[in-house]
């Protein structure tokens, strides 16, 4: 157990659907992250939250909408996705932000398939 | 251009043997370099974090080295086990930011 739980583990949705990915961390960390991992591509950082405030948004399309209601929970709301959005979406947390040199703890991801 | 390149892309070794994975980067300004292990179907797990002033760091049978002058890092696995079969990912962090670049990883397979 990494202390970071993601649900659902698998999700299949049509391009017109709206769904949400959920991440919960039980480590008492202050920073949380969303990553995208596509086949044969490096991980891409999508969003960074520190103390529930978004501090980084790496030019992610608006069809991905993050939400961080408290320091333990992170959501990624999805709507009108494209087939190229099919990927593994990973959530991570760390005691402080990346620049603090603290290790990140990852969940096991949500495997998303867009039909 | 800021890049992180890993080699080899894939590697097959026999159980009990040692191996070394490479990571070359051109990230500047540099803060720290991390190695992660990712088992199939799981999220990455942190192995080591090294700042620019550190040359080596160990975590059990895993030893990472860093040469900040040549911008090269290696991950050495000693006495490999079947459970070492995984992808190993190198990540470089920019100085004083939350920006980072991941390598595409090395896929290691350990056979009995």
């Amino acid at each position: 157990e990494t202390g970071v739980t993601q649900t659902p583990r698998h999700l299949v949705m049509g391009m017109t659907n709206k769904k949400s990915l959920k991440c919960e961390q039980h480590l008492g960390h202050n920073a949380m992250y969303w990553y995208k991992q596509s086949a044969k591509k490096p991980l891409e950082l999508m969003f960074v939250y520190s103390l529930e405030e978004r501090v980084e948004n790496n030019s992610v399309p608006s069809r991905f909408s993050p939400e961080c209601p408290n320091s333990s929970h992170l959501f990624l709301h999805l709507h009108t996705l494209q087939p190229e959005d099919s990927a593994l979406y990973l959530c991570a947390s760390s005691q402080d932000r990346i620049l603090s040199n603290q290790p990140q703890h990852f969940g096991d991801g949500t495997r998303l398939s867009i039909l | 251009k800021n890049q992180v390149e890993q080699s080899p892309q894939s590697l097959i070794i026999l159980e009990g043997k040692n191996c070394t994975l490479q990571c070359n980067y051109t990230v500047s300004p540099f803060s720290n370099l991390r190695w992660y292990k990712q088992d199939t179907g799981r999220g990455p797990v942190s192995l080591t974090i090294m700042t620019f002033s550190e040359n080596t760091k160990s975590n059990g049978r895993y030893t990472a080295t860093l040469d900040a002058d040549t911008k090269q890092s290696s991950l050495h696995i000693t006495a490999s086990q079947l459970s070492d079969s995984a992808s190993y990912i190198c990540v470089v962090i920019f100085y004083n930011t939350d920006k980072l670049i991941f390598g595409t990883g090395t896929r290691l397979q350990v056979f009995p």
Side-chain angles (χ1 to χ4, degrees):
Chain A
E1 281 298 323
T2 66
V4 179
T5 303
Q6 290 187 244
T7 55
R9 290 297 310 277
H10 302 273
L11 179 61
V12 179
M13 57 187 285
M15 290 191 285
T16 58
N17 291 157
K18 289 184 180 182
K19 295 286 185 183
S20 295
L21 310 184
K22 179 183 176 182
C23 176
E24 183 175 1
Q25 58 100 355
H26 310 277
L27 301 168
H29 289 165
N30 294 319
M32 296 187 76
Y33 314 83
W34 280 116
Y35 287 90
K36 177 183 179 182
Q37 188 173 34
S38 303
K40 307 216 185 270
K41 286 187 174 181
L43 271 88
E44 303 169 56
L45 179 62
M46 300 174 72
F47 300 105
V48 178
Y49 275 84
S50 176
L51 298 172
E52 299 135 52
E53 286 193 24
R54 189 190 308 179
V55 296
E56 190 74 35
N57 173 1
N58 289 330
S59 302
V60 178
S62 59
R63 57 186 183 269
F64 295 92
S65 175
E67 178 189 3
C68 188
N70 55 63
S71 59
S72 298
H73 293 86
L74 186 65
F75 295 89
L76 188 63
H77 303 299
L78 317 171
H79 64 96
T80 59
L81 294 192
Q82 304 298 309
E84 61 265 27
D85 297 324
S86 297
L88 181 68
Y89 288 84
L90 291 161
C91 173
S93 71
S94 58
Q95 184 60 52
D96 294 298
R97 290 162 56 183
I98 294 172
L99 57 84
S100 69
N101 294 345
Q102 296 292 316
Q104 293 185 309
H105 298 253
F106 285 82
D108 288 331
T110 294
R111 173 69 63 186
L112 176 65
S113 299
I114 307 300
L115 302 179
Chain B
K1 183 180 178 183
N2 292 299
Q3 286 185 313
V4 176
E5 295 184 349
Q6 293 187 242
S7 62
Q9 282 190 331
S10 61
L11 183 62
I12 297 175
I13 62 173
L14 292 176
E15 185 179 14
K17 298 296 186 182
N18 303 335
C19 67
T20 300
L21 314 180
Q22 299 290 343
C23 175
N24 296 337
Y25 63 94
T26 57
V27 171
S28 180
F30 167 85
S31 173
N32 65 86
L33 185 146
R34 309 178 182 193
W35 283 94
Y36 283 91
K37 176 188 179 188
Q38 186 174 20
D39 292 317
T40 301
R42 307 295 301 272
V45 174
S46 179
L47 294 176
T48 62
I49 298 176
M50 289 183 293
T51 65
F52 63 88
S53 61
E54 295 176 293
N55 299 119
T56 185
K57 184 160 283 189
S58 292
N59 179 356
R61 294 180 297 101
Y62 302 101
T63 299
T65 64
L66 174 63
D67 186 334
D69 292 329
T70 61
K71 297 186 177 180
Q72 295 180 323
S73 176
S74 65
L75 181 69
H76 186 74
I77 304 175
T78 304
S80 60
Q81 300 176 358
L82 299 179
S83 59
D84 292 331
S85 295
S87 288
Y88 291 83
I89 303 171
C90 173
V91 189
V92 180
I93 316 300
F94 286 81
Y95 177 74
N96 206 32
T97 75
D98 290 302
K99 295 190 184 299
L100 69 177
I101 299 182
F102 285 79
T104 50
T106 292
R107 177 70 186 161
L108 174 67
Q109 293 178 276
V110 181
F111 284 100

